[in-house]
Amino acid sequence: MTRILVVDDHAIVRAGIRRLLAGGAHQLAEAASGEAALEQLAAGGFGLVILDLNLPGLGGLELLRRILRAHPAVPVLVFSLHAEAIYATRALESGARGFISKNAAPEELLAAVDTVLAGGTAIERDIAGEIAAQEIGENAYMRPLTQRDLEILRLLAQGNSLTQIGEALGIAYKTVANTLSRIKEKLGVTHTADLIRIAIGRGLTDLR
């Protein structure tokens, strides 16, 4: 029996994964935050982590890196709201063994769990095709952005104010403002409107 830790801040998502995997030889535990996940993992005994990237406080990619540093033998399968290739690329580069979006069919998540537990790498078919089709130069433009940068950029393009972005991510207004300034420097733009156009053009507002 494999112990699986499901890390997602939405109880309904955790419950859905639990029901989906109920028929297999798995024992599931849950964590609603990165900090809670690290506490549970410290006790040992887990064979897989299913990880959401959008978490309050400690970001998903940073949590992924900490998990792999502390527990290198525990594979991590990212199960994300985002279906864009850039998120999958970042997760895989950070050490994830798989990436499935939340708009994938349940069977695809089940297959991904089996693949990762067997030592393989699982990427949602549509996302894998998008990654393969992208030009290296096209990806390079967005590479300087961190996961938190992408989250803030996405929320900004959806029409949220800096205060609303801070509330959504659990960070201070000043942190949001400073991060936006750094994003502008990284992308070589000077106006917030330019950031919004970039986010829309790159598909970062598509929540699917």
Side-chain angles (χ1 to χ4, degrees), residues 104-133:
E107 295 77 13
E108 196 159 5
L109 177 59
L110 283 172
V113 168
D114 290 340
T115 297
V116 172
L117 286 176
T121 299
I123 306 174
E124 185 177 334
R125 180 170 25 180
D126 290 345
I127 296 175
E130 185 180 346
I131 292 173

Short mmCIF file of all heavy atoms in Angstrom, two decimals, residues 104-133:
data_model
loop_
_atom_site.label_atom_id
_atom_site.label_comp_id
_atom_site.label_asym_id
_atom_site.label_seq_id
_atom_site.Cartn_x
_atom_site.Cartn_y
_atom_site.Cartn_z
N ALA A 104 -8.08 17.88 -16.87
CA ALA A 104 -7.83 16.57 -17.48
C ALA A 104 -8.91 15.59 -17.06
O ALA A 104 -9.59 15.76 -16.04
CB ALA A 104 -6.45 16.05 -17.06
N ALA A 105 -9.07 14.54 -17.84
CA ALA A 105 -10.02 13.49 -17.50
C ALA A 105 -9.55 12.75 -16.26
O ALA A 105 -8.34 12.60 -16.05
CB ALA A 105 -10.17 12.52 -18.67
N PRO A 106 -10.46 12.27 -15.41
CA PRO A 106 -10.05 11.52 -14.22
C PRO A 106 -9.13 10.36 -14.54
O PRO A 106 -8.19 10.07 -13.79
CB PRO A 106 -11.39 11.03 -13.64
CG PRO A 106 -12.39 12.03 -14.12
CD PRO A 106 -11.92 12.44 -15.48
N GLU A 107 -9.38 9.70 -15.67
CA GLU A 107 -8.55 8.56 -16.05
C GLU A 107 -7.10 8.98 -16.30
O GLU A 107 -6.17 8.20 -16.06
CB GLU A 107 -9.11 7.90 -17.31
CG GLU A 107 -10.47 7.26 -17.14
CD GLU A 107 -11.61 8.27 -17.14
OE1 GLU A 107 -11.37 9.45 -17.51
OE2 GLU A 107 -12.73 7.89 -16.74
N GLU A 108 -6.92 10.22 -16.76
CA GLU A 108 -5.56 10.68 -17.02
C GLU A 108 -4.80 10.91 -15.71
O GLU A 108 -3.59 10.64 -15.63
CB GLU A 108 -5.58 11.96 -17.86
CG GLU A 108 -4.24 12.29 -18.48
CD GLU A 108 -4.34 13.21 -19.68
OE1 GLU A 108 -5.45 13.68 -19.99
OE2 GLU A 108 -3.30 13.46 -20.30
N LEU A 109 -5.49 11.39 -14.68
CA LEU A 109 -4.84 11.55 -13.38
C LEU A 109 -4.50 10.18 -12.80
O LEU A 109 -3.40 9.98 -12.26
CB LEU A 109 -5.74 12.33 -12.42
CG LEU A 109 -5.20 12.49 -10.99
CD1 LEU A 109 -3.86 13.20 -10.98
CD2 LEU A 109 -6.21 13.24 -10.13
N LEU A 110 -5.42 9.23 -12.91
CA LEU A 110 -5.16 7.88 -12.41
C LEU A 110 -3.95 7.26 -13.10
O LEU A 110 -3.08 6.66 -12.46
CB LEU A 110 -6.39 6.99 -12.63
CG LEU A 110 -7.56 7.18 -11.67
CD1 LEU A 110 -8.77 6.37 -12.14
CD2 LEU A 110 -7.17 6.79 -10.26
N ALA A 111 -3.90 7.42 -14.42
CA ALA A 111 -2.78 6.87 -15.18
C ALA A 111 -1.47 7.55 -14.78
O ALA A 111 -0.42 6.90 -14.70
CB ALA A 111 -3.03 7.04 -16.67
N ALA A 112 -1.53 8.86 -14.53
CA ALA A 112 -0.33 9.60 -14.12
C ALA A 112 0.19 9.11 -12.78
O ALA A 112 1.40 8.97 -12.58
CB ALA A 112 -0.63 11.10 -14.07
N VAL A 113 -0.72 8.87 -11.85
CA VAL A 113 -0.32 8.35 -10.54
C VAL A 113 0.39 7.00 -10.70
O VAL A 113 1.47 6.78 -10.14
CB VAL A 113 -1.55 8.19 -9.61
CG1 VAL A 113 -1.19 7.38 -8.36
CG2 VAL A 113 -2.09 9.56 -9.21
N ASP A 114 -0.18 6.11 -11.51
CA ASP A 114 0.44 4.80 -11.73
C ASP A 114 1.81 4.94 -12.39
O ASP A 114 2.76 4.25 -12.02
CB ASP A 114 -0.47 3.93 -12.61
CG ASP A 114 -1.75 3.51 -11.89
OD1 ASP A 114 -1.76 3.55 -10.64
OD2 ASP A 114 -2.72 3.14 -12.57
N THR A 115 1.91 5.84 -13.37
CA THR A 115 3.17 6.03 -14.09
C THR A 115 4.26 6.54 -13.17
O THR A 115 5.39 6.05 -13.18
CB THR A 115 2.97 7.01 -15.26
OG1 THR A 115 2.05 6.45 -16.20
CG2 THR A 115 4.29 7.29 -15.97
N VAL A 116 3.93 7.55 -12.38
CA VAL A 116 4.93 8.14 -11.48
C VAL A 116 5.34 7.14 -10.40
O VAL A 116 6.53 7.01 -10.07
CB VAL A 116 4.39 9.44 -10.85
CG1 VAL A 116 5.35 9.96 -9.78
CG2 VAL A 116 4.21 10.51 -11.93
N LEU A 117 4.39 6.40 -9.86
CA LEU A 117 4.71 5.39 -8.85
C LEU A 117 5.59 4.28 -9.42
O LEU A 117 6.38 3.66 -8.69
CB LEU A 117 3.43 4.79 -8.26
CG LEU A 117 2.65 5.68 -7.30
CD1 LEU A 117 1.36 5.00 -6.88
CD2 LEU A 117 3.50 6.01 -6.06
N ALA A 118 5.47 4.05 -10.73
CA ALA A 118 6.29 3.03 -11.38
C ALA A 118 7.66 3.55 -11.78
O ALA A 118 8.46 2.83 -12.37
CB ALA A 118 5.56 2.50 -12.61
N GLY A 119 7.92 4.84 -11.49
CA GLY A 119 9.23 5.41 -11.77
C GLY A 119 9.31 6.21 -13.05
O GLY A 119 10.39 6.67 -13.44
N GLY A 120 8.17 6.42 -13.71
CA GLY A 120 8.16 7.16 -14.96
C GLY A 120 7.79 8.62 -14.77
O GLY A 120 7.63 9.11 -13.65
N THR A 121 7.68 9.32 -15.88
CA THR A 121 7.27 10.72 -15.90
C THR A 121 5.96 10.84 -16.65
O THR A 121 5.81 10.27 -17.74
CB THR A 121 8.33 11.60 -16.58
OG1 THR A 121 9.56 11.50 -15.86
CG2 THR A 121 7.90 13.06 -16.62
N ALA A 122 5.01 11.59 -16.10
CA ALA A 122 3.69 11.71 -16.70
C ALA A 122 3.37 13.17 -16.97
O ALA A 122 3.40 13.99 -16.05
CB ALA A 122 2.63 11.11 -15.78
N ILE A 123 3.07 13.48 -18.22
CA ILE A 123 2.66 14.83 -18.60
C ILE A 123 1.36 14.73 -19.38
O ILE A 123 1.25 13.89 -20.29
CB ILE A 123 3.73 15.52 -19.46
CG1 ILE A 123 5.10 15.49 -18.78
CG2 ILE A 123 3.33 16.97 -19.75
CD1 ILE A 123 6.22 16.02 -19.64
N GLU A 124 0.40 15.55 -19.03
CA GLU A 124 -0.87 15.55 -19.74
C GLU A 124 -0.63 15.69 -21.24
O GLU A 124 0.19 16.50 -21.67
CB GLU A 124 -1.73 16.71 -19.22
CG GLU A 124 -3.14 16.75 -19.80
CD GLU A 124 -3.95 17.87 -19.19
OE1 GLU A 124 -3.66 18.28 -18.04
OE2 GLU A 124 -4.89 18.35 -19.86
N ARG A 125 -1.32 14.90 -22.02
CA ARG A 125 -1.04 14.80 -23.44
C ARG A 125 -1.08 16.15 -24.16
O ARG A 125 -0.17 16.48 -24.92
CB ARG A 125 -2.04 13.83 -24.10
CG ARG A 125 -1.83 13.67 -25.58
CD ARG A 125 -2.66 12.53 -26.13
NE ARG A 125 -3.84 12.25 -25.33
CZ ARG A 125 -4.73 11.30 -25.63
NH1 ARG A 125 -4.56 10.56 -26.69
NH2 ARG A 125 -5.77 11.09 -24.86
N ASP A 126 -2.12 16.94 -23.93
CA ASP A 126 -2.23 18.22 -24.62
C ASP A 126 -1.10 19.17 -24.23
O ASP A 126 -0.57 19.91 -25.07
CB ASP A 126 -3.58 18.88 -24.32
CG ASP A 126 -4.75 18.14 -24.96
OD1 ASP A 126 -4.50 17.31 -25.86
OD2 ASP A 126 -5.90 18.39 -24.56
N ILE A 127 -0.74 19.14 -22.95
CA ILE A 127 0.33 20.02 -22.48
C ILE A 127 1.67 19.56 -23.05
O ILE A 127 2.51 20.38 -23.44
CB ILE A 127 0.37 20.05 -20.94
CG1 ILE A 127 -0.92 20.66 -20.41
CG2 ILE A 127 1.58 20.84 -20.44
CD1 ILE A 127 -1.05 20.63 -18.90
N ALA A 128 1.88 18.26 -23.09
CA ALA A 128 3.13 17.73 -23.66
C ALA A 128 3.27 18.15 -25.12
O ALA A 128 4.36 18.52 -25.57
CB ALA A 128 3.15 16.21 -23.55
N GLY A 129 2.16 18.13 -25.85
CA GLY A 129 2.20 18.56 -27.24
C GLY A 129 2.51 20.03 -27.38
O GLY A 129 3.25 20.44 -28.28
N GLU A 130 1.97 20.84 -26.47
CA GLU A 130 2.23 22.28 -26.50
C GLU A 130 3.69 22.57 -26.21
O GLU A 130 4.31 23.42 -26.84
CB GLU A 130 1.33 22.99 -25.48
CG GLU A 130 1.44 24.50 -25.53
CD GLU A 130 0.54 25.17 -24.52
OE1 GLU A 130 -0.36 24.50 -23.97
OE2 GLU A 130 0.75 26.37 -24.27
N ILE A 131 4.25 21.84 -25.23
CA ILE A 131 5.67 22.04 -24.90
C ILE A 131 6.54 21.70 -26.10
O ILE A 131 7.48 22.41 -26.44
CB ILE A 131 6.05 21.17 -23.69
CG1 ILE A 131 5.36 21.67 -22.42
CG2 ILE A 131 7.57 21.17 -23.50
CD1 ILE A 131 5.57 20.78 -21.23
N ALA A 132 6.22 20.59 -26.75
CA ALA A 132 7.01 20.15 -27.90
C ALA A 132 6.93 21.13 -29.06
O ALA A 132 7.88 21.29 -29.83
CB ALA A 132 6.55 18.77 -28.35
N ALA A 133 5.78 21.79 -29.19
CA ALA A 133 5.57 22.68 -30.33
C ALA A 133 6.18 24.06 -30.14
O ALA A 133 6.39 24.80 -31.10
CB ALA A 133 4.07 22.83 -30.60
#
